[in-house]
Amino acid sequence: QVQLVESGGGLVQAGGSLRLSCAASGSISSINAMNWYRQAPGKQRELVAGITSGGVTNYADSVKGRFAISRDNAKNTVYLQMNSLKPEDTAVYYCNAEIYIGARLHYFWDQGTQVAVSS
């Protein structure tokens, strides 16, 4: 099986920075896109940033210029560097990965980590 293990969340003051990481392990043949989502209380889960296996990135407008997604393919790990954090960035952040096990494509989610930004 496959597991996604996330780390790096926590409490930070507005203007501060946090770095999230998410490592995939298990019976992995290859990984396509890796993405970060977030869900704030009372709101729908939204895509924050994504990165393809080739390194092409995309961002939600609300985080452009402040967040940076990257990945280490050798470690099956994706990162989210979050700078200039705002209270509205407070949410549970989830890692998502498109993983091939053999010839079949699966979508995996991690357990989520809380990010809280105080004003």
Side-chain angles (χ1 to χ4, degrees):
Q1 263 294 2
V2 172
Q3 275 192 318
L4 298 182
V5 178
E6 182 178 348
S7 62
L11 174 65
V12 65
Q13 287 189 331
S17 298
L18 283 174
R19 188 188 195 216
L20 305 181
S21 64
C22 175
S25 63
S27 304
I28 297 169
S29 298
S30 63
I31 303 178
N32 282 357
M34 302 184 83
N35 308 293
W36 289 99
Y37 285 77
R38 68 185 180 187
Q39 188 166 18
K43 295 189 177 181
Q44 288 190 332
R45 190 173 297 189
E46 62 173 354
L47 177 65
V48 176
I51 184 167
T52 68
S53 57
V56 177
T57 60
N58 64 283
Y59 297 94
D61 288 343
S62 58
V63 306
K64 281 181 182 177
R66 300 188 298 120
F67 290 13
I69 188 171
S70 61
R71 64 191 281 175
D72 184 332
N73 290 332
K75 296 181 179 180
N76 290 335
T77 299
V78 63
Y79 305 95
L80 186 67
Q81 178 67 43
M82 304 184 291
N83 300 324
S84 302
L85 282 160
K86 304 175 181 180
E88 51 264 44
D89 294 318
T90 295
V92 177
Y93 283 70
Y94 297 91
C95 170
N96 161 266
E98 302 170 4
I99 297 176
Y100 275 98
I101 300 175
R104 294 191 64 181
L105 181 62
H106 302 261
Y107 297 86
F108 291 95
W109 294 87
D110 77 321
Q111 76 283 359
T113 190
Q114 179 70 52
V115 171
V117 184
S118 63
S119 57

PDB file of all heavy atoms in Angstrom, residues 55-82:
ATOM      1  N   GLY A  55       7.829  19.256 -13.002  1.00  0.00           N
ATOM      2  CA  GLY A  55       8.135  20.499 -12.297  1.00  0.00           C
ATOM      3  C   GLY A  55       7.292  21.698 -12.680  1.00  0.00           C
ATOM      4  O   GLY A  55       7.560  22.811 -12.228  1.00  0.00           O
ATOM      5  N   VAL A  56       6.273  21.499 -13.493  1.00  0.00           N
ATOM      6  CA  VAL A  56       5.381  22.607 -13.845  1.00  0.00           C
ATOM      7  C   VAL A  56       4.449  22.870 -12.659  1.00  0.00           C
ATOM      8  O   VAL A  56       3.836  21.943 -12.134  1.00  0.00           O
ATOM      9  CB  VAL A  56       4.563  22.288 -15.105  1.00  0.00           C
ATOM     10  CG1 VAL A  56       3.586  23.423 -15.409  1.00  0.00           C
ATOM     11  CG2 VAL A  56       5.486  22.048 -16.286  1.00  0.00           C
ATOM     12  N   THR A  57       4.351  24.130 -12.278  1.00  0.00           N
ATOM     13  CA  THR A  57       3.585  24.483 -11.088  1.00  0.00           C
ATOM     14  C   THR A  57       2.367  25.330 -11.417  1.00  0.00           C
ATOM     15  O   THR A  57       2.311  25.994 -12.455  1.00  0.00           O
ATOM     16  CB  THR A  57       4.460  25.266 -10.094  1.00  0.00           C
ATOM     17  OG1 THR A  57       4.922  26.473 -10.730  1.00  0.00           O
ATOM     18  CG2 THR A  57       5.661  24.437  -9.652  1.00  0.00           C
ATOM     19  N   ASN A  58       1.391  25.300 -10.534  1.00  0.00           N
ATOM     20  CA  ASN A  58       0.252  26.199 -10.632  1.00  0.00           C
ATOM     21  C   ASN A  58      -0.183  26.559  -9.224  1.00  0.00           C
ATOM     22  O   ASN A  58       0.019  25.777  -8.286  1.00  0.00           O
ATOM     23  CB  ASN A  58      -0.904  25.592 -11.427  1.00  0.00           C
ATOM     24  CG  ASN A  58      -1.489  24.374 -10.751  1.00  0.00           C
ATOM     25  OD1 ASN A  58      -0.918  23.300 -10.791  1.00  0.00           O
ATOM     26  ND2 ASN A  58      -2.649  24.538 -10.123  1.00  0.00           N
ATOM     27  N   TYR A  59      -0.748  27.744  -9.071  1.00  0.00           N
ATOM     28  CA  TYR A  59      -1.110  28.273  -7.761  1.00  0.00           C
ATOM     29  C   TYR A  59      -2.490  28.911  -7.788  1.00  0.00           C
ATOM     30  O   TYR A  59      -2.917  29.476  -8.792  1.00  0.00           O
ATOM     31  CB  TYR A  59      -0.106  29.349  -7.323  1.00  0.00           C
ATOM     32  CG  TYR A  59       1.294  28.856  -7.134  1.00  0.00           C
ATOM     33  CD1 TYR A  59       2.225  28.929  -8.166  1.00  0.00           C
ATOM     34  CD2 TYR A  59       1.699  28.323  -5.907  1.00  0.00           C
ATOM     35  CE1 TYR A  59       3.526  28.467  -7.997  1.00  0.00           C
ATOM     36  CE2 TYR A  59       2.992  27.873  -5.724  1.00  0.00           C
ATOM     37  CZ  TYR A  59       3.892  27.941  -6.765  1.00  0.00           C
ATOM     38  OH  TYR A  59       5.173  27.499  -6.589  1.00  0.00           O
ATOM     39  N   ALA A  60      -3.152  28.859  -6.649  1.00  0.00           N
ATOM     40  CA  ALA A  60      -4.351  29.652  -6.468  1.00  0.00           C
ATOM     41  C   ALA A  60      -3.954  31.123  -6.459  1.00  0.00           C
ATOM     42  O   ALA A  60      -2.872  31.481  -5.974  1.00  0.00           O
ATOM     43  CB  ALA A  60      -5.032  29.277  -5.153  1.00  0.00           C
ATOM     44  N   ASP A  61      -4.833  31.963  -6.982  1.00  0.00           N
ATOM     45  CA  ASP A  61      -4.521  33.393  -7.035  1.00  0.00           C
ATOM     46  C   ASP A  61      -4.219  33.959  -5.647  1.00  0.00           C
ATOM     47  O   ASP A  61      -3.392  34.854  -5.500  1.00  0.00           O
ATOM     48  CB  ASP A  61      -5.691  34.159  -7.656  1.00  0.00           C
ATOM     49  CG  ASP A  61      -5.815  33.929  -9.152  1.00  0.00           C
ATOM     50  OD1 ASP A  61      -4.836  33.450  -9.763  1.00  0.00           O
ATOM     51  OD2 ASP A  61      -6.898  34.210  -9.698  1.00  0.00           O
ATOM     52  N   SER A  62      -4.890  33.422  -4.652  1.00  0.00           N
ATOM     53  CA  SER A  62      -4.763  33.966  -3.296  1.00  0.00           C
ATOM     54  C   SER A  62      -3.382  33.739  -2.687  1.00  0.00           C
ATOM     55  O   SER A  62      -3.025  34.388  -1.705  1.00  0.00           O
ATOM     56  CB  SER A  62      -5.822  33.357  -2.379  1.00  0.00           C
ATOM     57  OG  SER A  62      -5.697  31.946  -2.351  1.00  0.00           O
ATOM     58  N   VAL A  63      -2.591  32.823  -3.259  1.00  0.00           N
ATOM     59  CA  VAL A  63      -1.269  32.520  -2.669  1.00  0.00           C
ATOM     60  C   VAL A  63      -0.113  32.836  -3.605  1.00  0.00           C
ATOM     61  O   VAL A  63       1.053  32.701  -3.216  1.00  0.00           O
ATOM     62  CB  VAL A  63      -1.179  31.050  -2.218  1.00  0.00           C
ATOM     63  CG1 VAL A  63      -2.328  30.706  -1.284  1.00  0.00           C
ATOM     64  CG2 VAL A  63      -1.122  30.102  -3.392  1.00  0.00           C
ATOM     65  N   LYS A  64      -0.427  33.267  -4.816  1.00  0.00           N
ATOM     66  CA  LYS A  64       0.644  33.572  -5.779  1.00  0.00           C
ATOM     67  C   LYS A  64       1.572  34.647  -5.221  1.00  0.00           C
ATOM     68  O   LYS A  64       1.136  35.655  -4.687  1.00  0.00           O
ATOM     69  CB  LYS A  64       0.043  34.051  -7.104  1.00  0.00           C
ATOM     70  CG  LYS A  64      -0.475  32.931  -7.980  1.00  0.00           C
ATOM     71  CD  LYS A  64      -1.045  33.477  -9.282  1.00  0.00           C
ATOM     72  CE  LYS A  64      -1.611  32.355 -10.137  1.00  0.00           C
ATOM     73  NZ  LYS A  64      -2.245  32.860 -11.378  1.00  0.00           N
ATOM     74  N   GLY A  65       2.860  34.396  -5.366  1.00  0.00           N
ATOM     75  CA  GLY A  65       3.858  35.341  -4.867  1.00  0.00           C
ATOM     76  C   GLY A  65       4.215  35.151  -3.406  1.00  0.00           C
ATOM     77  O   GLY A  65       5.181  35.742  -2.917  1.00  0.00           O
ATOM     78  N   ARG A  66       3.439  34.341  -2.690  1.00  0.00           N
ATOM     79  CA  ARG A  66       3.716  34.101  -1.265  1.00  0.00           C
ATOM     80  C   ARG A  66       4.088  32.651  -0.989  1.00  0.00           C
ATOM     81  O   ARG A  66       4.900  32.379  -0.101  1.00  0.00           O
ATOM     82  CB  ARG A  66       2.484  34.470  -0.418  1.00  0.00           C
ATOM     83  CG  ARG A  66       2.064  35.912  -0.543  1.00  0.00           C
ATOM     84  CD  ARG A  66       0.962  36.259   0.471  1.00  0.00           C
ATOM     85  NE  ARG A  66      -0.252  35.473   0.266  1.00  0.00           N
ATOM     86  CZ  ARG A  66      -0.772  34.663   1.194  1.00  0.00           C
ATOM     87  NH1 ARG A  66      -0.195  34.527   2.363  1.00  0.00           N
ATOM     88  NH2 ARG A  66      -1.894  34.006   0.932  1.00  0.00           N
ATOM     89  N   PHE A  67       3.484  31.730  -1.702  1.00  0.00           N
ATOM     90  CA  PHE A  67       3.729  30.301  -1.498  1.00  0.00           C
ATOM     91  C   PHE A  67       4.548  29.747  -2.662  1.00  0.00           C
ATOM     92  O   PHE A  67       4.437  30.229  -3.796  1.00  0.00           O
ATOM     93  CB  PHE A  67       2.421  29.527  -1.432  1.00  0.00           C
ATOM     94  CG  PHE A  67       1.591  29.763  -0.200  1.00  0.00           C
ATOM     95  CD1 PHE A  67       1.853  30.806   0.672  1.00  0.00           C
ATOM     96  CD2 PHE A  67       0.506  28.941   0.073  1.00  0.00           C
ATOM     97  CE1 PHE A  67       1.074  31.020   1.798  1.00  0.00           C
ATOM     98  CE2 PHE A  67      -0.280  29.130   1.191  1.00  0.00           C
ATOM     99  CZ  PHE A  67       0.004  30.180   2.055  1.00  0.00           C
ATOM    100  N   ALA A  68       5.346  28.730  -2.374  1.00  0.00           N
ATOM    101  CA  ALA A  68       6.125  28.067  -3.419  1.00  0.00           C
ATOM    102  C   ALA A  68       6.061  26.562  -3.209  1.00  0.00           C
ATOM    103  O   ALA A  68       6.380  26.074  -2.112  1.00  0.00           O
ATOM    104  CB  ALA A  68       7.566  28.537  -3.405  1.00  0.00           C
ATOM    105  N   ILE A  69       5.666  25.844  -4.254  1.00  0.00           N
ATOM    106  CA  ILE A  69       5.612  24.395  -4.195  1.00  0.00           C
ATOM    107  C   ILE A  69       6.839  23.835  -4.905  1.00  0.00           C
ATOM    108  O   ILE A  69       7.291  24.386  -5.915  1.00  0.00           O
ATOM    109  CB  ILE A  69       4.306  23.853  -4.830  1.00  0.00           C
ATOM    110  CG1 ILE A  69       4.166  22.355  -4.595  1.00  0.00           C
ATOM    111  CG2 ILE A  69       4.225  24.196  -6.319  1.00  0.00           C
ATOM    112  CD1 ILE A  69       2.794  21.803  -5.004  1.00  0.00           C
ATOM    113  N   SER A  70       7.383  22.767  -4.370  1.00  0.00           N
ATOM    114  CA  SER A  70       8.524  22.099  -4.989  1.00  0.00           C
ATOM    115  C   SER A  70       8.441  20.617  -4.657  1.00  0.00           C
ATOM    116  O   SER A  70       7.648  20.212  -3.800  1.00  0.00           O
ATOM    117  CB  SER A  70       9.848  22.687  -4.496  1.00  0.00           C
ATOM    118  OG  SER A  70       9.976  22.530  -3.092  1.00  0.00           O
ATOM    119  N   ARG A  71       9.252  19.828  -5.346  1.00  0.00           N
ATOM    120  CA  ARG A  71       9.239  18.398  -5.056  1.00  0.00           C
ATOM    121  C   ARG A  71      10.626  17.820  -5.269  1.00  0.00           C
ATOM    122  O   ARG A  71      11.418  18.329  -6.063  1.00  0.00           O
ATOM    123  CB  ARG A  71       8.209  17.657  -5.907  1.00  0.00           C
ATOM    124  CG  ARG A  71       8.452  17.668  -7.389  1.00  0.00           C
ATOM    125  CD  ARG A  71       7.252  17.138  -8.158  1.00  0.00           C
ATOM    126  NE  ARG A  71       7.162  15.681  -8.152  1.00  0.00           N
ATOM    127  CZ  ARG A  71       6.146  14.992  -8.672  1.00  0.00           C
ATOM    128  NH1 ARG A  71       5.118  15.649  -9.196  1.00  0.00           N
ATOM    129  NH2 ARG A  71       6.145  13.665  -8.652  1.00  0.00           N
ATOM    130  N   ASP A  72      10.879  16.734  -4.557  1.00  0.00           N
ATOM    131  CA  ASP A  72      12.107  15.960  -4.705  1.00  0.00           C
ATOM    132  C   ASP A  72      11.672  14.581  -5.176  1.00  0.00           C
ATOM    133  O   ASP A  72      11.171  13.767  -4.380  1.00  0.00           O
ATOM    134  CB  ASP A  72      12.839  15.887  -3.364  1.00  0.00           C
ATOM    135  CG  ASP A  72      14.180  15.180  -3.472  1.00  0.00           C
ATOM    136  OD1 ASP A  72      14.352  14.324  -4.354  1.00  0.00           O
ATOM    137  OD2 ASP A  72      15.051  15.476  -2.640  1.00  0.00           O
ATOM    138  N   ASN A  73      11.817  14.330  -6.461  1.00  0.00           N
ATOM    139  CA  ASN A  73      11.326  13.066  -7.020  1.00  0.00           C
ATOM    140  C   ASN A  73      12.079  11.863  -6.461  1.00  0.00           C
ATOM    141  O   ASN A  73      11.507  10.779  -6.340  1.00  0.00           O
ATOM    142  CB  ASN A  73      11.432  13.095  -8.541  1.00  0.00           C
ATOM    143  CG  ASN A  73      10.427  14.058  -9.165  1.00  0.00           C
ATOM    144  OD1 ASN A  73       9.357  14.305  -8.611  1.00  0.00           O
ATOM    145  ND2 ASN A  73      10.782  14.621 -10.308  1.00  0.00           N
ATOM    146  N   ALA A  74      13.340  12.043  -6.128  1.00  0.00           N
ATOM    147  CA  ALA A  74      14.113  10.927  -5.579  1.00  0.00           C
ATOM    148  C   ALA A  74      13.588  10.507  -4.213  1.00  0.00           C
ATOM    149  O   ALA A  74      13.725   9.350  -3.813  1.00  0.00           O
ATOM    150  CB  ALA A  74      15.580  11.315  -5.482  1.00  0.00           C
ATOM    151  N   LYS A  75      12.987  11.455  -3.495  1.00  0.00           N
ATOM    152  CA  LYS A  75      12.457  11.178  -2.154  1.00  0.00           C
ATOM    153  C   LYS A  75      10.937  11.060  -2.149  1.00  0.00           C
ATOM    154  O   LYS A  75      10.349  10.881  -1.083  1.00  0.00           O
ATOM    155  CB  LYS A  75      12.878  12.288  -1.185  1.00  0.00           C
ATOM    156  CG  LYS A  75      14.373  12.386  -0.963  1.00  0.00           C
ATOM    157  CD  LYS A  75      14.706  13.496   0.030  1.00  0.00           C
ATOM    158  CE  LYS A  75      16.203  13.574   0.272  1.00  0.00           C
ATOM    159  NZ  LYS A  75      16.536  14.665   1.233  1.00  0.00           N
ATOM    160  N   ASN A  76      10.313  11.162  -3.327  1.00  0.00           N
ATOM    161  CA  ASN A  76       8.843  11.114  -3.416  1.00  0.00           C
ATOM    162  C   ASN A  76       8.200  12.102  -2.441  1.00  0.00           C
ATOM    163  O   ASN A  76       7.209  11.776  -1.758  1.00  0.00           O
ATOM    164  CB  ASN A  76       8.328   9.695  -3.128  1.00  0.00           C
ATOM    165  CG  ASN A  76       8.681   8.717  -4.229  1.00  0.00           C
ATOM    166  OD1 ASN A  76       8.883   9.103  -5.393  1.00  0.00           O
ATOM    167  ND2 ASN A  76       8.773   7.447  -3.884  1.00  0.00           N
ATOM    168  N   THR A  77       8.760  13.277  -2.382  1.00  0.00           N
ATOM    169  CA  THR A  77       8.330  14.270  -1.397  1.00  0.00           C
ATOM    170  C   THR A  77       7.982  15.581  -2.080  1.00  0.00           C
ATOM    171  O   THR A  77       8.677  16.016  -3.001  1.00  0.00           O
ATOM    172  CB  THR A  77       9.433  14.500  -0.354  1.00  0.00           C
ATOM    173  OG1 THR A  77       9.699  13.266   0.319  1.00  0.00           O
ATOM    174  CG2 THR A  77       8.995  15.541   0.676  1.00  0.00           C
ATOM    175  N   VAL A  78       6.903  16.195  -1.605  1.00  0.00           N
ATOM    176  CA  VAL A  78       6.497  17.518  -2.074  1.00  0.00           C
ATOM    177  C   VAL A  78       6.539  18.480  -0.904  1.00  0.00           C
ATOM    178  O   VAL A  78       6.273  18.092   0.244  1.00  0.00           O
ATOM    179  CB  VAL A  78       5.094  17.471  -2.719  1.00  0.00           C
ATOM    180  CG1 VAL A  78       4.029  17.059  -1.717  1.00  0.00           C
ATOM    181  CG2 VAL A  78       4.754  18.792  -3.383  1.00  0.00           C
ATOM    182  N   TYR A  79       6.896  19.720  -1.195  1.00  0.00           N
ATOM    183  CA  TYR A  79       7.024  20.747  -0.166  1.00  0.00           C
ATOM    184  C   TYR A  79       6.127  21.935  -0.504  1.00  0.00           C
ATOM    185  O   TYR A  79       5.823  22.200  -1.667  1.00  0.00           O
ATOM    186  CB  TYR A  79       8.472  21.235  -0.083  1.00  0.00           C
ATOM    187  CG  TYR A  79       9.479  20.137   0.136  1.00  0.00           C
ATOM    188  CD1 TYR A  79      10.145  19.568  -0.945  1.00  0.00           C
ATOM    189  CD2 TYR A  79       9.765  19.664   1.408  1.00  0.00           C
ATOM    190  CE1 TYR A  79      11.068  18.551  -0.770  1.00  0.00           C
ATOM    191  CE2 TYR A  79      10.696  18.646   1.603  1.00  0.00           C
ATOM    192  CZ  TYR A  79      11.337  18.094   0.513  1.00  0.00           C
ATOM    193  OH  TYR A  79      12.249  17.094   0.696  1.00  0.00           O
ATOM    194  N   LEU A  80       5.735  22.652   0.518  1.00  0.00           N
ATOM    195  CA  LEU A  80       5.029  23.921   0.329  1.00  0.00           C
ATOM    196  C   LEU A  80       5.658  24.939   1.264  1.00  0.00           C
ATOM    197  O   LEU A  80       5.492  24.846   2.485  1.00  0.00           O
ATOM    198  CB  LEU A  80       3.535  23.779   0.620  1.00  0.00           C
ATOM    199  CG  LEU A  80       2.712  25.033   0.305  1.00  0.00           C
ATOM    200  CD1 LEU A  80       2.682  25.295  -1.210  1.00  0.00           C
ATOM    201  CD2 LEU A  80       1.283  24.895   0.832  1.00  0.00           C
ATOM    202  N   GLN A  81       6.387  25.864   0.692  1.00  0.00           N
ATOM    203  CA  GLN A  81       6.962  26.968   1.460  1.00  0.00           C
ATOM    204  C   GLN A  81       5.945  28.096   1.486  1.00  0.00           C
ATOM    205  O   GLN A  81       5.539  28.596   0.439  1.00  0.00           O
ATOM    206  CB  GLN A  81       8.269  27.443   0.822  1.00  0.00           C
ATOM    207  CG  GLN A  81       8.900  28.619   1.534  1.00  0.00           C
ATOM    208  CD  GLN A  81       9.398  28.262   2.928  1.00  0.00           C
ATOM    209  OE1 GLN A  81       9.995  27.210   3.122  1.00  0.00           O
ATOM    210  NE2 GLN A  81       9.136  29.134   3.899  1.00  0.00           N
ATOM    211  N   MET A  82       5.519  28.467   2.676  1.00  0.00           N
ATOM    212  CA  MET A  82       4.489  29.489   2.837  1.00  0.00           C
ATOM    213  C   MET A  82       5.103  30.695   3.534  1.00  0.00           C
ATOM    214  O   MET A  82       5.538  30.600   4.686  1.00  0.00           O
ATOM    215  CB  MET A  82       3.327  28.933   3.649  1.00  0.00           C
ATOM    216  CG  MET A  82       2.713  27.672   3.062  1.00  0.00           C
ATOM    217  SD  MET A  82       1.259  27.080   3.961  1.00  0.00           S
ATOM    218  CE  MET A  82       2.032  26.551   5.492  1.00  0.00           C
TER     219      MET A  82
END
